[in-house]
Amino acid sequence: MQNTHIMEASAANSFENLPMRDRVLKFEHPLNERYRFFLRLEYLFNLLEQHMAWESTENSNTAVATLLDTINVVSRTDIKTETVKELDRIAGVLAPLKDKPGIELGTLDEVLSTLKQLGAQLRGITGPIDKELKEVDLLKALQQRNNIAGGLCDFDLPAYRFWLKQLPERRLQDLQSWLEPFRPLQYAVESALDLVRGSTAPEREVAEDGIYKRSLDTKSPCQLIIVSLPVNTSYFAEFSGSRHRFAVRFMDATQKHPTQANNNVEFDLSCCKL
């Protein structure tokens, strides 16, 4: 636990030591449902890991709520099949690069091997990913109340109150056990997002009067748009669009009611294609 805190502090200090010009605020927008689910799952898995790194009752409570949200997201679609298809698609795009000059074959082989292993792990799961959790009485009781505002309040759930008052080691052990069935999916989603995000170098663009529009080549589909601004910016980015075209509006956050910027805004844009 202490090592985790040290790593977090080190990362924070490294960020603080960066020159202001090198600190960026990133806004991401998926252009298909597959990557919409991937981004939601990444967010939930990251939140789970953060709260499982601490021992307080409050952190355990938030971790459980996040786990229930993860179960809900996974149950809405056949995310296992969709993820396997995406891993296969990425591998199919990368494999021909072996014949390209200047490619680091060792790195490429390692990436392809990882994609193959992750796909095999997901294919090896029979039935729903969360099937084991459906047999956990405490989680079943919590899931029934998760959509009620304040539904996880422990006075309504004595068994949950009892669990929250257990020693941190017991709570964290249970949380790790409940998260374990999702690990293959977590690693696969992280790998897909890492590869897609790293597939395209950012380009400097200008949003005239606070708006930027671009048409997209559907023969070379873009999975994800990333807009990067200096961390001390006064603007945030709002997206609209589909696989055919998209628009980015930069909203002035210094206003009481944010409005579109009325001046040109420079930003870095990545249209992530892989």
Side-chain angles (χ1 to χ4, degrees), residues 193-233:
L193 284 170
D194 284 347
L195 288 169
V196 166
R197 285 179 177 130
S199 65
T200 307
E203 300 175 352
R204 180 53 57 97
E205 301 287 356
V206 176
E208 296 183 3
D209 294 326
I211 190 164
Y212 177 87
K213 297 179 180 179
R214 177 186 284 193
S215 296
L216 295 169
D217 181 4
T218 56
K219 296 179 181 179
S220 180
C222 176
Q223 284 80 39
L224 190 67
I225 301 167
I226 304 175
V227 165
S228 300
L229 292 166
V231 74
N232 60 345
T233 184

